[in-house]
Amino acid sequence: MTTKGNDQLLSLARPWQLALAEGWAAFRSANPPVGAVVTGAAGNILATARSRRHDSTAPPGQLAGTDLAHAEVNALAQLRTGQHDHVTLWTTLQPCPLCSAAAMSTRCGQVRYLAADPMWDGAEHLPELNESVAARWPRFEGPEPGWPAFWQTALSVAYQIGRGNADAATVTLRAEHAPDAAGLGRAIAADPALSDHLTTLDLPAALDELLFSPAR
């Protein structure tokens, strides 16, 4: 049986579908809810990954149990050494400086992201450091309009509050930037029964319940 959540998900480009699924898997496993995908010049999927900060294990070549275990880093780490200016990194959240530097270091050609992260406003000026950085800096494209960015922001806020960081700058800035999405994130975090219930759902079912139910 198809649902609105499933239909909405399938209407997106395949890399976004996979990145959102990875981000949801991260959220369900109590990790920062970020997913990432790497595609080649023909749009073929080269790598998928999620954040694994609080995991004890990770697939070979990826990081877990460390603050460096970001989704983008784990996706890009699957590329062999070489020039990757034909490669696109798709990520559900605007990359932080660590992940932006990882994209630069792997010579990734383009970075696309769904939701803005106001925590890193100004990071776009990093290529101004010098000509060498500017020459290797990927092209950034984002944020994207619509529900996927709203969803990502809500999950990010819910995760931070769930970790006891309700007053963190990341929550405050996101609430200023996207108050409705942040409001949903606060509602998720404020209801332990809802939070526990969500971890039992796949992504389409969670979308139906939180975004696309008739009551919303």
Side-chain angles (χ1 to χ4, degrees):
M1 181 180 68
T2 62
T3 66
K4 188 169 184 180
N6 190 61
D7 290 343
Q8 290 287 335
L9 192 61
L10 291 177
S11 72
L12 303 175
R14 181 62 174 163
W16 287 139
Q17 295 177 36
L18 295 173
L20 285 164
E22 290 286 342
W24 181 241
F27 183 78
R28 293 176 68 187
S29 60
N31 283 285
V34 182
V37 171
V38 177
T39 59
N44 50 310
I45 306 298
L46 299 177
T48 63
R50 63 172 175 85
S51 55
R52 294 180 177 272
R53 183 180 298 174
H54 304 296
D55 286 2
S56 58
T57 61
Q62 298 186 43
L63 296 172
T66 167
D67 288 334
L68 299 180
H70 290 211
E72 299 92 333
V73 171
N74 277 336
L76 292 167
Q78 297 175 56
L79 300 178
R80 298 180 66 87
T81 300
Q83 186 77 19
H84 298 293
D85 56 2
H86 62 289
V87 157
T88 299
L89 171 67
W90 308 65
T91 176
T92 58
L93 186 63
Q94 182 178 353
C96 67
L98 168 68
C99 297
S100 296
M104 181 192 72
S105 297
T106 53
R107 304 297 183 95
C108 175
Q110 183 178 23
V111 176
R112 299 187 62 179
Y113 61 91
L114 287 176
D117 189 346
M119 188 72 178
W120 306 119
D121 282 350
E124 66 273 11
H125 298 298
L126 286 172
E128 298 171 13
L129 286 172
N130 56 60
E131 292 183 2
S132 179
V133 171
R136 297 175 61 176
W137 202 254
R139 302 181 306 279
F140 281 76
E141 182 179 328
E144 296 285 332
W147 68 262
F150 182 100
W151 174 253
Q152 175 61 49
T153 299
L155 293 187
S156 295
V157 169
Y159 166 79
Q160 287 291 343
I161 296 176
R163 298 291 298 181
N165 299 323
D167 297 322
T170 52
V171 173
T172 301
L173 289 170
R174 285 172 180 146
E176 293 173 354
H177 180 80
D180 291 342
L184 175 58
R186 290 185 186 279
I188 295 170
D191 188 341
L194 174 60
S195 297
D196 289 343
H197 169 63
L198 290 175
T199 63
T200 69
L201 302 179
D202 62 15
L203 179 56
L207 291 172
D208 280 328
E209 187 152 329
L210 292 176
L211 292 190
F212 303 121
S213 70
R216 294 187 178 275

